[in-house]
Amino acid sequence: GAGSMRTWCLCQICTCGSDYRPYEIVKQPRHAPEEYKPKQGVIDLGTTYKRDFNSYKVHPVVIVRPLERQQVKKGKLDTVPTYKDDYKAWDIQKSELYKPQQTYYPPTVRFGNSTTFQDDYVPREIKPRQSCKPSPAVERFTMPFSGNTSHRLDYVPHRPEFKLARPKDSYKPPEQPLEDLTTHRCDFQGLVGETAKICRPAHTRMAQDAPFEGSTEFRDSFQAWALPEPQAQKVLEHVPPAGTMQLQSTSHLDYVPHRATRVLPIRPASRRRNLNFAFQGKSTTKQDFPAWESCRQGLIKQEPQIPRPSGKFDGLSTFRSHYVPHELIPTESCKPADAPSKRSLPFDDVTTYSLEYMPKKLETCPASYPSPPGYLFETTDSRGHKFFRKIAPAVKAF
């Protein structure tokens, strides 16, 4: 029993359990942040605004509204307004009504005549209508169910025709060789020549390690200001108030409890009757429409017309059966030989650029000088731009 149990446990090892080897996980070292060390000294919290701002005494704004003038009532004001003086009351007489007098008076005696409906209507005896409801008795048919359809009756099975496989044409290589000569190979001629010389002058970089000592517009306009160090504002220490805190409110002090009775419900008493007899769960729908015994119709599956093959599948396709292997012939390289054809004449590397190029001397921009030579200072505008005038050369008189 122990040996069979051990064998069963060994058989349950999967490929993952046999191939996987656990690795030792090394915990990555965590970067310890450096301890914060406050800087020594006092922080100067002063700003240019505090230094340049001059405080002024602010006086309250004088009210521009005029003073109220109180009217003194000395006596009764007896005046007549212009409306009463201009518009007098007219003596208007009431106009008579043009409504005609009422001549119709309703009769006081009751109306005793009969209507046409009362004269023509003859009461008849009401007979109950015959019920059209089918009888609850279920009629069962003794004849079997005919499941033939028009598709089953009219369908005529036909035998499918087999298609003949068309023979594949074998590959026939051409008899003439391939003309693989291109226009490049026909027209290209390798010429030996020397490398063209560069006519560009040598670039001499002027490296200046010393700082720039000249004056610029930015240095002249923006001077360094000595800023005092800002001063730290001291936080006032919280001082708790003396004494104990009174936690009693006006509601706790003025509230007087009263004894109140519980409100009785106004809902009337339940008049539910206890019925001990069983519930009759029959209805006219259940009696008139009983459940029919029905079975699920099976699938109408058509029989296969092509018989299934018997035997083992060869697995040979038409490509494998018609394929004829051929020996591969490597293509001849069309690349010319690396050894260029040598000629006795030297290579003519003269170009129009080397013939027409004239090197010029690099001139220094006069704006880099604090006072450029050959120019005379005139004015400085509101933005600090300096304007110079070129000195015209003196002309000698004959």
Side-chain angles (χ1 to χ4, degrees):
S4 60
M5 186 65 182
R6 186 179 303 170
T7 305
W8 181 83
C9 293
L10 291 174
C11 292
Q12 294 295 325
I13 298 175
C14 59
T15 56
C16 177
S18 60
D19 299 341
Y20 176 72
R21 294 294 182 270
Y23 295 93
E24 184 180 358
I25 299 174
V26 181
K27 192 174 183 181
Q28 296 182 358
R30 189 174 181 182
H31 176 69
E34 298 179 359
E35 185 180 0
Y36 173 72
K37 296 180 180 180
K39 296 183 180 180
Q40 298 179 359
V42 182
I43 301 175
D44 188 6
L45 299 177
T47 59
T48 55
Y49 179 79
K50 291 183 179 180
R51 185 188 62 188
D52 299 338
F53 178 73
N54 299 325
S55 58
Y56 299 94
K57 293 183 179 180
V58 181
H59 301 282
V61 182
V62 181
I63 300 175
V64 190
R65 186 178 59 183
L67 300 175
E68 297 180 359
R69 298 179 181 178
Q70 298 181 0
Q71 297 181 2
V72 181
K73 297 181 181 181
K74 296 181 180 180
K76 185 178 181 182
L77 182 64
D78 189 6
T79 56
V80 179
T82 56
Y83 183 81
K84 287 185 178 182
D85 193 11
D86 296 341
Y87 297 95
K88 303 293 183 181
W90 295 82
D91 187 9
I92 301 173
Q93 296 179 1
K94 190 175 183 181
S95 61
E96 297 180 358
L97 296 175
Y98 294 96
K99 184 178 180 181
Q101 295 182 0
Q102 186 177 1
T103 58
Y104 173 75
Y105 296 98
T108 58
V109 184
R110 185 179 180 184
F111 183 73
N113 296 332
S114 60
T115 60
T116 55
F117 179 77
Q118 293 177 357
D119 296 340
D120 299 340
Y121 178 74
V122 179
R124 301 180 184 276
E125 185 179 358
I126 300 174
K127 295 182 180 180
R129 292 184 180 182
Q130 185 178 2
S131 178
C132 300
K133 185 171 62 176
S135 59
V138 180
E139 297 181 1
R140 298 184 179 275
F141 294 94
T142 57
M143 297 176 62
F145 176 70
S146 177
N148 294 328
T149 59
S150 59
H151 179 74
R152 292 183 178 180
L153 296 176
D154 300 339
Y155 179 74
V156 178
H158 298 278
R159 187 174 183 181
E161 299 178 358
F162 292 95
K163 294 183 179 181
L164 299 176
R166 183 179 178 181
K168 190 175 181 181
D169 298 337
S170 59
Y171 173 72
K172 296 180 180 180
E175 298 177 357
Q176 298 179 0
L178 177 66
E179 295 181 1
D180 55 349
L181 192 63
T182 60
T183 55
H184 179 76
R185 293 174 60 188
C186 293
D187 301 338
F188 177 73
Q189 297 177 3
L191 300 178
V192 180
E194 299 178 359
T195 308
K197 298 180 181 179
I198 300 175
C199 301
R200 185 178 59 190
H203 177 67
T204 55
R205 185 177 179 182
M206 301 174 64
Q208 297 181 1
D209 299 333
F212 181 68
E213 297 180 355
S215 62
T216 60
E217 180 185 354
F218 183 80
R219 291 184 179 181
D220 296 343
S221 303
F222 300 95
Q223 301 294 334
W225 295 83
L227 300 177
E229 297 181 359
Q231 298 179 1
Q233 186 178 2
K234 296 182 180 180
V235 182
L236 300 177
E237 187 179 358
H238 173 69
V239 180
T244 57
M245 183 177 179
Q246 294 181 3
L247 300 176
Q248 293 183 357
S249 61
T250 55
S251 176
H252 289 182
L253 296 175
D254 301 339
Y255 178 72
V256 179
H258 299 278
R259 292 184 179 180
T261 57
R262 195 168 188 178
V263 181
L264 299 176
I266 311 177
R267 185 177 59 184
S270 177
R271 297 180 180 180
R272 186 177 179 182
R273 295 178 297 175
N274 295 328
L275 303 177
N276 298 327
F277 53 87
F279 175 71
Q280 296 180 0
K282 294 183 179 180
S283 61
T284 56
T285 304
K286 289 185 177 181
Q287 294 178 1
D288 298 342
F289 300 95
W292 292 80
E293 294 182 0
S294 60
C295 58
R296 189 172 181 179
Q297 186 179 3
L299 296 176
I300 303 174
K301 189 174 181 182
Q302 188 177 1
E303 296 181 358
Q305 300 177 0
I306 301 175
R308 292 184 178 181
S310 59
K312 188 178 180 181
F313 179 64
D314 295 337
L316 186 64
S317 60
T318 55
F319 178 78
R320 292 183 178 180
S321 59
H322 295 289
Y323 177 72
V324 179
H326 298 279
E327 185 179 357
L328 296 178
I329 302 174
T331 307
E332 186 180 357
S333 177
C334 302
K335 183 178 179 182
D338 295 336
S341 59
K342 296 183 180 181
R343 293 194 178 187
S344 58
L345 299 177
F347 179 69
D348 187 9
D349 58 347
V350 179
T351 60
T352 55
Y353 179 78
S354 60
L355 295 175
E356 298 178 0
Y357 178 75
M358 300 295 294
K360 297 180 181 180
K361 184 180 179 181
L362 297 177
E363 297 181 358
T364 308
C365 181
S368 60
Y369 298 98
S371 58
Y375 292 87
L376 185 62
F377 175 74
E378 285 188 350
T379 55
T380 305
D381 61 353
S382 58
R383 298 185 178 180
H385 297 164
K386 296 180 181 181
F387 292 89
F388 294 83
R389 180 172 54 86
K390 190 173 184 180
I391 302 173
V395 180
K396 295 182 180 181
F398 293 98

